[in-house]
């Protein structure tokens, strides 16, 4: 088969992905192997692939592919989340384009439109993931509103309600005035905004005095029911028992005292608006203050506010400042920058709002999940997130689980109109339950709650119900084969920003319904940022299109580019140059394969002794086998510690530096008359073996090119594919001493090459190298040195060589006779410069060793290292001084 000069990623990707699927290489069913399981954090059904997805799903695919090669029954479960707010907003916008308002439709009519939208657009992101090479078991694809998964969500609500964990009440929530629903904390994005801190004067009742309050939201003055100051603030001690008059509406409110108030902020006095601020709400409850809702759900001024009724909240903000100034009640206005919460989905400013909602009590149900992480049963990677997790879990609030939307699982709560509520799957079941409480009502009077459940209330079940949706009602003892086999899962890869709102809740749910953790490890990725440190987003225009990157650099190039500098938990400063580096790596692998493939093997296969194996090749093979084992040990350790970028970089260096730059150069046949000589079969076979091992190690990172080369290397059975090839094993008795010796030889070869460059000598000109030593101690690697440094000879002498270029490596002196090429003046300059550097270095070591504090506090091995540096540097200085004297 003719092999292209360059690797064609598009051709390889379009060939191998369908082939893998056709041969069921991604498919997993329970068997006698140990399982390795990942459940994909389900992307929103509205989503398309972005850079954060690329990072997250590449890491998952690397882990799953390696596990498959290690012999595990690897199962990666894909799926999508119904994303209530985002999807409903998309459908509402689409209907609006068609001239249809949501309010003109019944719930059933709207949901029909929503399902049509989902069927048309909902699978886009999963199809895009296939372009990246994601090796998911696509037959297991789930959607959080699949009928059986939705039933599990309903079962969970009913179960927790009946256990007394769920209740309904008026609480402060994040309110989205555009989508008209409560939203969770993680769906609020805080942005730095320009604002005004307005100092407003409130008149003291029955007095000519005023108290000044600083506020950034003057429109909420209309809902004030108190003024609060710190009891230790002497400026206001005379106001005990007094009342203030709220401007504009002239409402008389009490002046209260509470330690909550920060005396140093603003004027030290706080307006209390219980209906529009969570902290004010807490103060209101503590001091029994009334609550006045000054805003409608749409963000307009309400009738109960008493003024500006119907004004948009921001229009009111402007107008009330004007009116307060006219009344002389504005002391001053400061321009400030403050953090303002915006709805992630609609990008409108969130309003804190008192609302009747459903809540899940979290204090008791969350304790097992706290212990699971703190005790190390569930490991967070990196560990720096453990304390943050612990703090959040120990200060957890009840979870608002209701949303005022239609797209999602409708809350199975039923009301009889007489104050009785039950949770039931159907109207008929609810009627039976309520009949025991109220025998005088008809089934027609029964009403179901209009709200739906928070999307997270379905996705917290994800690791369980993707395997067994019946687990909530059946219990762990009756769990199906899939759940018993795959659960707990192994690794979860997700973002730190949803550690509490999804990860913690999955652990809570897992403990509640199985008694087990849902996963062993949580790998937390960082945020993908641009070179300026800004989070990548389409709105900023700083996020490249992932599929365009794949088209330009190939899927393998992009996968490597994303992970070259992405340590767990730390942000990734993405630059497209990384993808170019990934593509270059793919080309390097391809060119190494082509070089090996083009070696002319001894044509007489039966006469394997026709071409003798060079000594340099024997040594190179022994060295690379040792190097491969050493690096494989390091790479495995990186994987085991989830140091993904380190594992990739070690793989990269093993291939690029050790294999391509050193091994292949060492075994490459000589050129004679412009033509490469044949290679001996022993060396060729060893090289093919090494390349196969390297392809296996590279495969999790670069699945397409490795599969392509795997099949080009030799004729194979159809299912003899690298995706299911066995991961290389380590030989524990490899020769570490030879690796150290080879590193010294590499340093020597590099020095000779540098001297050639300095002296402008032709690479083809053979040189002589002399090592000053009394004994022939290191002759084992000489053939490699002679070949790679292009030497005429490597000899030994116990005397100095006059008129030669000298240098020191590892306390050994070397000389290259350059009588015709050596400029004594230049050489003396070089040696004196080197001498000055080493004397300066020695001085810094001696200063450190003379520091009593350093010597007394440093570890013994650190002191020993410094003393060895001192000894080595003294030897170098002595050798250089002798070389200088020799040239004079």
């Amino acid at each position: 088969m003719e092999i292209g000069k360059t690797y064609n990623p598009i051709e390889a990707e379009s060939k191998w992905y369908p082939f893998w699927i056709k041969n069921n290489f991604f498919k997993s069913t329970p068997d006698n192997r140990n399982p390795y399981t990942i459940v994909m954090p389900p992307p929103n059904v509205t989503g398309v692939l972005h850079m954060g997805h690329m990072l997250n799903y590449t890491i998952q695919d690397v882990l799953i592919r390696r596990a498959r090669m290690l012999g595990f029954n690897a199962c990666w479960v894909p799926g999508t989340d119904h994303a209530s707010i985002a999807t409903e907003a998309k459908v509402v916008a689409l209907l609006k384009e068609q001239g249809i308002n949501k309010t003109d439709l019944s719930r059933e009519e709207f949901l029909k439109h929503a399902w049509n939208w989902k069927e048309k657009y909902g699978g886009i992101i999963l199809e895009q993931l296939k372009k990246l090479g994601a090796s998911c078991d696509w037959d297991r694809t789930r959607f959080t509103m699949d009928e059986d998964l939705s039933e599990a969500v309903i079962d969970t609500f009913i179960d927790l309600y009946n256990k007394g964990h769920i209740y309904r009440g008026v609480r402060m929530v994040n309110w989205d005035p555009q989508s008209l629903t409560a939203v969770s904390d993680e769906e609020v994005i805080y942005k730095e905004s320009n604002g005004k801190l307005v100092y407003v004067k409130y008149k003291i009742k029955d007095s000519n005095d005023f108290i000044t309050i600083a506020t950034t939201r003057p429109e909420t003055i209309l809902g004030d029911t108190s003024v609060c100051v710190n009891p230790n603030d002497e400026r206001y001690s005379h106001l005990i028992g007094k009342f203030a008059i709220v401007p504009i509406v002239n409402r008389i409110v009490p002046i209260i005292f509470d330690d909550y108030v920060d005396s140093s902020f603003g004027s030290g006095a706080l307006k209390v608006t219980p209906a529009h601020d969570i902290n004010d709400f807490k103060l209101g409850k503590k001091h029994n203050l009334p609550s006045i809702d000054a805003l409608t759900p749409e963000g307009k001024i309400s009738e109960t506010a008493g003024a500006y009724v119907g004004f948009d909240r921001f229009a009111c903000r402007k107008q009330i400042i004007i009116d307060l100034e006219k009344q002389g009640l504005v002391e001053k206005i400061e321009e400030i920058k403050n953090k303002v919460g915006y709805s992630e989905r609609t990008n409108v400013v969130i309003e804190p709002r008192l609302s009747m909602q459903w809540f899940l009590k979290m204090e008791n149900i969350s304790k097992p999940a706290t212990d699971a992480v703190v005790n190390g049963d569930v490991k967070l990677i990196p560990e720096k997130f453990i304390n943050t997790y612990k703090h959040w879990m120990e200060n957890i609030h009840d979870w608002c689980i209701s949303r005022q939307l239609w797209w999602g699982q409708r809350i199975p709560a039923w009301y009889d109109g007489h104050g009785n509520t039950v949770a039931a799957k159907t109207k008929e079941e609810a009627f039976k339950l309520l009949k025991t409480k109220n025998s005088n009502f008809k089934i027609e009077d029964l009403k179901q709650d209009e709200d739906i459940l928070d999307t997270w209330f379905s996705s917290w079940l994800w690791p369980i119900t993707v395997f067994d949706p019946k687990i909530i009602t059946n219990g762990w003892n009756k769990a199906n084969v899939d759940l018993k086999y795959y659960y707990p899962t192994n690794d979860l890869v997700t973002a730190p920003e949803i550690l509490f709102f999804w990860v913690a809740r999955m652990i809570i749910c897992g403990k509640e319904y199985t008694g087990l953790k849902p996963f062993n490890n949580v790998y937390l990725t960082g945020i993908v940022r641009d070179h300026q440190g800004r989070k990548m987003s389409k709105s900023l225009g700083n996020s490249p299109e992932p599929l365009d990157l794949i088209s330009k650099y190939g899927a393998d190039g992009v996968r490597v580019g994303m992970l070259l500098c992405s340590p767990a938990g730390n942000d990734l400063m993405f630059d497209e140059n990384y993808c170019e580096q990934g593509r270059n790596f793919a080309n390097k692998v391809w060119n190494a394969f082509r070089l090996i493939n083009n070696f002319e093997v001894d044509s007489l296969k039966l006469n394997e002794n026709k071409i003798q194996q060079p000594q340099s090749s024997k040594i190179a093979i022994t060295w690379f086998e040792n190097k491969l084992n050493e690096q494989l040990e390091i790479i495995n350790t990186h994987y085991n510690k989830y140091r993904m970028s380190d594992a990739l970089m070690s793989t990269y260096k093993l291939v690029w530096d050790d294999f391509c730059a050193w091994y292949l150069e060492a075994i490459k046949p000589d050129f004679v008359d412009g033509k490469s000589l044949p290679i001996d079969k022993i060396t060729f076979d060893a090289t093919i073996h090494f390349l196969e091992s390297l392809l296996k190690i590279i495969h999790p990172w670069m699945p397409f090119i490795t599969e392509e080369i795997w099949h080009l290397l030799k004729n194979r059975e159809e299912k003899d594919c690298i995706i299911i090839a066995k991961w290389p094993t380590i030989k524990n008795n490899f020769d570490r001493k030879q690796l150290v010796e080879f590193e010294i030889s590499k340093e020597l070869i590099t020095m000779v090459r540098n001297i050639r460059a300095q002296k402008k000598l032709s690479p083809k000109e053979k040189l002589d190298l002399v090592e000053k030593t009394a004994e022939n101690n290191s002759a084992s690697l000489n053939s490699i040195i002679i070949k790679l440094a292009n030497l005429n000879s490597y000899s030994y002498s116990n005397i100095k060589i006059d008129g030669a270029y000298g240098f020191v490596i590892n306390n050994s002196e070397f000389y290259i006779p350059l009588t015709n090429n050596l400029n004594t003046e230049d050489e003396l300059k070089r040696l004196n410069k080197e001498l000055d550097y080493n004397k300066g270095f020695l001085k810094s070591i001696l200063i450190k060793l003379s520091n009593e504090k350093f010597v007394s506090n440093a570890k013994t091995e650190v002191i020993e290292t410094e003393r060895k540096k001192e000894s080595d540097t003294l030897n170098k200085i002595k050798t250089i001084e002798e070389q200088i004297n020799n040239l004079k």
Side-chain angles (χ1 to χ4, degrees), residues 439-457:
S439 59
N440 297 321
F441 85 106
K442 300 176 182 178
I443 193 167
E444 292 80 18
D445 299 327
L446 203 57
K447 289 187 177 179
Q448 185 178 356
D449 197 290
E450 291 291 326
D451 291 352
I452 63 164
L453 287 158
D454 178 16
T455 300
W456 298 108
F457 196 83

Side-chain angles (χ1 to χ4, degrees), residues 71 73 82 138-139 159 220 266 375 472 600 722 730 761 837:
N73 186 350
H82 64 276
W138 296 109
D139 292 339
D159 178 67
T220 61
N375 297 338
I472 307 303
E600 186 182 339
I722 199 167
I730 301 168
L761 301 177
Y837 168 79

Side-chain angles (χ1 to χ4, degrees), residues 258-399:
D258 198 285
D259 289 332
Y260 166 74
V261 179
D262 181 359
S263 301
S264 64
F265 178 77
S267 64
L270 177 76
K271 59 189 278 310
V272 183
T273 320
H276 297 289
D277 182 273
I278 183 61
N279 295 309
D280 290 9
F281 174 68
K282 291 175 183 176
L283 275 175
K285 286 189 74 175
K286 182 177 179 181
H287 295 275
N288 296 313
L289 299 174
S291 178
I292 298 173
D293 193 347
L295 292 172
T296 68
E298 295 79 12
K300 297 182 184 299
I301 305 302
S302 68
E303 290 187 7
T304 55
Y308 308 104
V309 176
F311 272 59
D312 174 79
R313 54 186 168 153
F314 299 117
C316 178
R317 181 178 297 179
K318 290 179 181 178
Q319 188 59 48
I320 201 170
I321 292 173
I322 293 170
D323 294 345
L324 287 168
E325 286 180 319
K326 286 179 181 177
Q327 295 179 31
L329 296 178
V330 176
E331 187 175 286
K332 62 178 178 177
I333 299 176
E334 294 177 354
E335 298 293 331
I336 63 165
K337 288 188 179 295
N338 61 338
K339 295 281 187 181
V340 177
Y342 286 77
S343 169
E344 183 185 30
R345 301 303 176 193
T346 60
N347 201 35
V348 300
V349 175
I350 288 292
E351 283 293 339
R353 178 177 173 80
L354 285 174
S355 179
M356 177 67 79
Q357 303 286 345
W358 286 93
F359 294 87
L360 174 61
K361 297 175 185 176
M362 297 296 281
E363 185 178 359
N364 293 325
I365 199 174
S366 66
K367 283 180 181 176
T370 306
D371 295 339
V373 171
V374 173
N375 297 338
D377 191 29
V378 175
K379 291 181 172 57
L380 301 186
I381 301 154
E383 292 181 348
K384 68 180 183 181
F385 288 104
I386 294 174
N387 285 338
T388 312
Y389 177 94
K390 181 173 180 282
H391 175 78
W392 188 85
M393 292 293 281
E394 289 176 347
N395 295 276
I396 200 166
H397 301 291
D398 288 354
W399 175 12

Side-chain angles (χ1 to χ4, degrees), residues 3 20 136 153 157 172 281 293 362 434 587 696 728 815 823 879:
I3 296 166
W20 291 328
C136 308
V153 174
F157 180 95
M172 184 70 67
F281 174 68
D293 193 347
M362 297 296 281
L434 282 167
N587 289 336
K696 292 175 184 177
Y815 296 93
N823 184 310
T879 302

Side-chain angles (χ1 to χ4, degrees), residues 392-448:
W392 188 85
M393 292 293 281
E394 289 176 347
N395 295 276
I396 200 166
H397 301 291
D398 288 354
W399 175 12
C400 175
I401 59 173
S402 49
R403 297 292 180 267
Q404 290 64 56
L405 300 165
W406 284 348
W407 175 249
Q409 290 92 4
R410 190 172 178 180
I411 291 176
W414 302 81
Y415 310 106
D416 66 356
H418 298 280
N420 296 311
T421 305
V422 294
K425 275 188 181 181
T426 65
K427 195 172 190 176
E428 290 71 25
E429 288 179 21
F431 181 69
K432 286 180 182 177
L433 291 170
L434 282 167
K435 199 74 174 167
T436 61
K437 300 180 180 184
N438 178 3
S439 59
N440 297 321
F441 85 106
K442 300 176 182 178
I443 193 167
E444 292 80 18
D445 299 327
L446 203 57
K447 289 187 177 179
Q448 185 178 356

Side-chain angles (χ1 to χ4, degrees), residues 26 55 82 140 159 248 285 794 811 824 848:
F26 303 163
L55 173 63
H82 64 276
R140 289 184 176 274
D159 178 67
I248 304 295
K285 286 189 74 175
Y794 184 149
N811 293 329
T824 305
K848 193 181 286 186

